[in-house]
Amino acid sequence: MQPIEFHYWPTPNGWKIAIALEEMGLPYTPHMVDIGAGDQFAPEFLKISPNNRMPAIVDPDGPGGGPVSVFESGAILLYLARKTGRFTGETERDRIAVEEWLMWQMGGVGPMAGQAHHFLHYAPDLDPPQVLPYAQDRYSAEVARLYGVLDRRLADNTYVAGDFYSIADMAIWPWASLWERQEQTLDDKPHLARWLDAVGTRPAVQRGRALAAERRQNIGTDRQAQAVLFRRD
């Protein structure tokens, strides 16, 4: 099997796919997409990820034996699960639950936690500083609500989609693992805390999370990276 070309940067969305590739035992070659330097706007990257976002993959052994590129982390997870026949449960009801919670992450936790990160940590470091209490409160409160939903779900289920580990867990864990940065608490969410620990101790999760960890950067004082990421020309 030829290695999958994995276009990546160490962020929660990138971690999702790094974890999946490790869990599935698929060979891959990382290609760093330095989002602070603007690599995501390179013409050759836009050919496989037209929305100028990583992660993206190119699988040389795609459908029919030819190469295929896939962008958007949720679509990549679904593709890899179909390719390997793993991590979506055993029944159609299992698959429905996996897809529900994967979409919940894509439409809820990811965007809301990302906005919380931005307004709590990045915006105040801009020049001039942008300290916006309304935005900070709005997004941190919505993340808290979502984590409450997740905690209640995990009260009756070992993993997010049921009693089996799935790509839904791989999608949610990278964002939820940053709960402290989102200024959240687990004191009232014991089931979420239990799940975070259980998933976080998996060797494949630890390997995926560690991929190029040394490249993860603090852009608080990096004006060039801020200009690229936040389009502040």
Side-chain angles (χ1 to χ4, degrees):
M1 182 181 296
Q2 298 183 69
I4 289 171
E5 298 175 16
F6 176 30
H7 298 264
Y8 168 80
W9 196 246
T11 71
N13 285 332
W15 295 336
K16 297 177 193 177
I17 309 308
I19 289 168
L21 290 166
E22 291 287 345
E23 291 280 12
M24 297 174 186
L26 291 168
Y28 65 93
T29 302
H31 298 273
M32 294 296 112
V33 181
D34 187 340
I35 59 176
D39 291 355
Q40 66 271 35
F41 301 108
E44 58 270 23
F45 182 68
L46 291 173
K47 289 179 182 179
I48 62 172
S49 184
N51 196 38
N52 59 261
R53 296 288 188 274
M54 70 88 222
I57 65 169
V58 178
D59 183 1
D61 297 315
V68 65
S69 62
V70 189
F71 73 101
E72 288 293 332
S73 59
I76 298 170
L77 288 171
L78 288 167
Y79 171 75
L80 295 176
R82 289 194 302 272
K83 179 181 177 72
T84 60
R86 300 181 66 194
F87 299 111
T88 56
E90 300 295 330
T91 69
E92 182 60 20
R93 290 183 183 275
D94 290 344
R95 286 186 284 273
I96 290 169
V98 170
E99 291 171 0
E100 284 178 329
W101 287 97
L102 177 60
M103 296 306 114
W104 180 83
Q105 187 280 316
M106 298 293 296
V109 167
M112 296 300 103
Q115 292 293 341
H117 287 179
H118 181 81
F119 287 108
L120 290 168
H121 299 286
Y122 298 140
D125 284 333
L126 296 176
D127 184 19
Q130 301 293 314
V131 180
L132 305 171
Y134 173 77
Q136 292 174 334
D137 293 345
R138 172 177 171 79
Y139 289 111
S140 60
E142 177 61 6
V143 172
R145 186 192 71 81
L146 289 165
Y147 287 166
V149 171
L150 184 56
D151 184 70
R152 291 189 292 275
R153 171 68 177 181
L154 291 166
D156 299 318
N157 296 275
T158 305
Y159 295 103
V160 173
D163 61 359
F164 59 97
Y165 178 67
S166 75
I167 57 172
D169 300 284
M170 300 177 204
I172 297 167
W173 186 88
W175 283 102
S177 70
L178 299 179
W179 59 272
E180 290 176 295
R181 184 166 175 77
Q182 298 150 15
E183 300 190 6
Q184 301 298 311
T185 180
L186 299 183
D187 292 345
D188 58 347
K189 301 176 185 67
H191 311 293
L192 174 55
R194 183 267 307 162
W195 172 84
L196 284 169
D197 288 342
V199 174
T201 58
R202 294 178 67 91
V205 171
Q206 294 175 351
R207 291 194 301 271
R209 177 67 172 77
L211 180 63
E214 73 282 357
R215 303 289 296 273
R216 191 163 166 80
Q217 65 207 86
N218 182 352
I219 64 169
T221 59
D222 189 335
R223 301 302 180 208
Q224 181 177 355
Q226 290 174 356
V228 170
L229 288 170
F230 309 139
R231 311 301 287 172
R232 293 173 63 83
D233 301 321

